[in-house]
Amino acid sequence: MFGTQEINGDGILEIGGVSVKKLKGEYGTPLYVMDKNYIVEKAELIKKSFKSKVFKTDVAYASKAFLTVGMCKIVEELDLCLDVVSGGEIYTALKAHFPMEKAHFHGNSKSIEELNMAVEYGIGTIIVDNHLEFKLLEDICEKKQKKINAILRVNPGIDAHTHEYIQTSKFDSKFGESIFMEETKELIRRINRSEWVKFEGIHAHIGSQIFDINSFLKEAEVMTNYIKELVEEGIGIETLNLGGGYGIYYSEGDEPIDLELCLKEQVSIIEKINEKYNLGIKKLQIEPGRSLVANAGTTLYTIQGLKTTYSGKNYYFIDGGMTDNIRPALYQAAYNGTIGNRCLEEKENSVTVAGKCCESGDLIIKDAKLQKAELGDILCVFGTGAYNYSMASNYNKIPRPAVVIVENGESALMVRRESYEDLVRNDV
Ligand code: LLP
């Protein structure tokens, strides 16, 4: 159990002091439930651990993990920066009146329209991905007579051990420019000379859901040594951004990294190399997404079918599935769950939880122990706060669930449930 989750005297799961039975009654299912206190506590831990006496430190929330107008407001309350990757994410931040100077704009394929938007609305920093993007950005700034800060995303070639689809720093990755290519230094020189783009530093992100602390430490070391090469050429690097990717617990077998330790060690390695070579680094940044919100989220489903196959496999059928959680189908991600209205009963049944989509791969939990369930019971799946709502789809014309935030015995709607009318709104 995570955050404020508790089991009450009737064996019903409560999140943020609100029972899942009440949440189902009030908002219906499927329902994403976000635990505000979990997010606040995790953010405080990250900020506290990622501190330095030498550098200014910024924590930018990677909003692709979970972004709503309400979430932007929480990010602002927590005094975090916001990492955005598309015009849609920029627009969401604008709608929330998020201070755009604290937004960082990422992406390997930014459109001219998106770059225009970023310059127009005064995004704090653009994380430039490549040569052509820099040229486009410079032209846009000149045309608008507006300057912008930029960081170059580089690929430090670190092979982080995680799912192939979420590795980002192998030699053939689509992200950033390789530190092993002379052209990358040439690009840095060009940005550094630019009249319109202020060169701030370099960025790397080595992947997501990484459990090995050494991958992060290696990244810190390789990036700082690269800065040394640049400084030796007379190019000042103020900012080093190390990206996100800190692995979290979803289910048995996951050994999440000790985030506090990892962040402190990252800072300490950079402090040492910075001092040894007098590099003059001024600011360190990280971009956690999943580690901030994944375990704040629980998805509630109603069990609406039970089946035992000829071969003896037990299924629980739910009213959602791969449309609200694509991760098991896409990354073979494993989740834990419980029957939220039967928490005190033994988990004795080996079952597979299947979604309602017309896909054999629409399985949310495979062969796990769960309590014996009846129709109408509430299945709670844990750890769904990151990359669930944000990757949801309308496959099979299934409306996206509502999102609710809970805190101290109160719940509030964050995102309304989609209606059937919403599904045909853009059809002509
Ligand atoms: N910074 C950059 C540049 C990123 O590309 C990402 C994630 C992050 C930060 C945040 O990483 P995190 O701390 O959340 O691991 N959909 C996949 C994850 C894709 C991650 C994409 N980039 C999943 O569901 O596992």
Side-chain angles (χ1 to χ4, degrees):
M1 296 221 287
F2 303 107
T4 61
Q5 292 174 346
E6 273 180 359
I7 296 168
N8 72 18
D10 298 326
I12 297 174
L13 180 72
E14 294 189 349
I15 312 169
V18 190
S19 86
V20 294
K21 209 166 162 185
K22 187 160 179 232
L23 289 167
K24 170 178 152 118
E26 207 162 321
Y27 303 99
T29 60
L31 183 68
Y32 296 114
V33 181
M34 297 299 284
D35 177 350
K36 168 107 186 257
N37 280 334
Y38 181 92
I39 300 174
V40 172
E41 278 171 23
K42 206 64 192 282
E44 294 309 332
L45 173 87
I46 294 174
K47 283 197 288 182
K48 193 180 81 196
S49 313
F50 192 65
K51 275 251 170 319
S52 165
K53 291 209 172 73
V54 185
F55 316 117
K56 181 177 179 309
T57 50
D58 282 341
V59 176
Y61 166 59
S63 71
K64 72 206 79 176
F66 172 75
L67 184 66
T68 70
V69 168
M71 185 63 199
C72 284
K73 292 185 175 151
I74 295 175
V75 172
E76 189 183 353
E77 250 170 62
L78 293 170
D79 197 23
L80 304 176
C81 296
L82 190 73
D83 146 9
V84 290
V85 292
S86 68
E89 289 189 352
I90 295 175
Y91 187 77
T92 309
L94 283 169
K95 277 281 179 185
H97 306 291
F98 187 82
M100 293 317 266
E101 68 280 5
K102 290 181 76 178
H104 305 170
F105 185 28
H106 269 281
N108 68 299
S109 181
K110 302 178 185 83
S111 68
I112 295 177
E113 187 200 353
E114 287 172 324
L115 287 171
N116 264 306
M117 208 172 162
V119 176
E120 194 55 46
Y121 293 114
I123 289 257
T125 307
I126 307 268
I127 288 80
V128 172
D129 181 85
N130 56 64
H131 285 73
L132 284 176
E133 184 193 317
F134 166 64
K135 183 78 196 83
L136 282 175
L137 180 64
E138 205 177 29
D139 290 349
I140 291 171
C141 289
E142 188 171 1
K143 229 179 257 155
K144 290 189 184 292
Q145 297 282 299
K146 279 189 170 177
K147 292 194 177 182
I148 201 150
N149 301 322
I151 286 182
L152 179 68
R153 176 160 182 175
V154 298
N155 179 349
I158 289 166
D159 191 358
H161 299 281
T162 183
H163 193 283
E164 188 193 348
Y165 291 3
I166 47 181
Q167 281 177 347
T168 56
S169 199
K170 289 173 81 168
F171 290 130
D172 54 2
S173 161
K174 71 171 181 168
F175 298 107
E177 298 280 15
S178 170
I179 59 167
F180 302 102
M181 295 196 316
E182 183 48 36
E183 291 89 330
T184 304
K185 278 204 186 129
E186 187 42 43
L187 175 58
I188 292 176
R189 289 179 203 116
R190 270 176 60 206
I191 309 178
N192 198 38
R193 285 195 302 268
S194 172
E195 199 184 318
W196 295 101
V197 178
K198 181 180 178 296
F199 179 59
E200 286 199 320
I202 53 174
H203 169 284
H205 169 75
I206 57 172
S208 200
Q209 185 59 354
I210 297 168
F211 291 139
D212 183 7
I213 215 173
N214 290 315
S215 300
F216 293 106
L217 303 187
K218 186 83 194 146
E219 177 199 13
E221 191 187 320
V222 169
M223 291 293 280
T224 319
N225 282 319
Y226 190 59
I227 291 179
K228 176 173 168 276
E229 290 177 27
L230 296 168
V231 169
E232 279 167 2
E233 265 205 40
I235 300 173
I237 302 285
E238 286 190 5
T239 304
L240 170 57
N241 186 322
L242 297 164
Y246 309 100
I248 60 119
Y249 180 87
Y250 284 105
S251 64
E252 289 75 23
D254 287 344
E255 286 170 19
I257 56 165
D258 179 339
L259 192 52
E260 197 174 338
L261 177 77
C262 181
L263 297 174
K264 286 184 175 160
E265 293 272 309
Q266 280 181 306
V267 172
S268 149
I269 285 185
I270 301 164
E271 279 177 353
K272 276 188 205 129
I273 307 180
N274 180 65
E275 194 190 332
K276 185 164 172 200
Y277 299 108
N278 198 15
L279 299 181
I281 300 171
K282 294 199 171 52
K283 199 193 285 178
L284 292 189
Q285 297 178 328
I286 47 166
E287 299 165 337
R290 187 193 315 268
S291 50
L292 199 65
V293 290
N295 292 146
T298 306
T299 308
L300 313 189
Y301 301 98
T302 298
I303 292 185
Q304 54 187 18
L306 307 165
K307 183 183 278 181
T308 301
T309 63
Y310 179 58
S311 60
K313 193 175 175 81
N314 292 316
Y315 280 109
Y316 290 172
F317 294 159
I318 52 174
D319 54 352
M322 67 192 295
T323 47
D324 58 76
N325 185 359
I326 190 68
R327 300 193 70 261
L330 197 54
Y331 315 115
Q332 299 81 48
Y335 282 87
N336 262 346
T338 194
I339 305 295
N341 52 310
R342 297 181 188 275
C343 293
L344 299 177
E345 295 173 28
E346 199 73 24
K347 287 188 173 176
E348 55 181 32
N349 233 7
S350 176
V351 283
T352 288
V353 174
K356 65 189 268 97
C357 288
C358 300
E359 294 275 340
S360 306
D362 182 15
L363 307 171
I364 296 297
I365 298 180
K366 279 190 198 163
D367 301 318
K369 285 245 180 294
L370 280 175
Q371 301 90 334
K372 263 200 160 43
E374 286 177 13
L375 292 188
D377 278 353
I378 308 167
L379 176 79
C380 302
V381 177
F382 302 127
T384 58
Y387 305 111
N388 274 225
Y389 168 74
S390 62
M391 294 177 82
S393 78
N394 289 129
Y395 182 47
N396 287 177
K397 279 275 188 265
I398 295 172
R400 273 176 271 242
V403 185
V404 153
I405 188 134
V406 290
E407 185 188 14
N408 304 329
E410 307 273 344
S411 67
L413 200 58
M414 228 183 181
V415 180
R416 233 176 269 124
R417 181 176 303 284
E418 273 180 341
S419 64
Y420 289 142
E421 193 49 36
D422 289 331
L423 298 178
V424 293
R425 170 156 302 147
N426 296 323
D427 292 15
V428 287

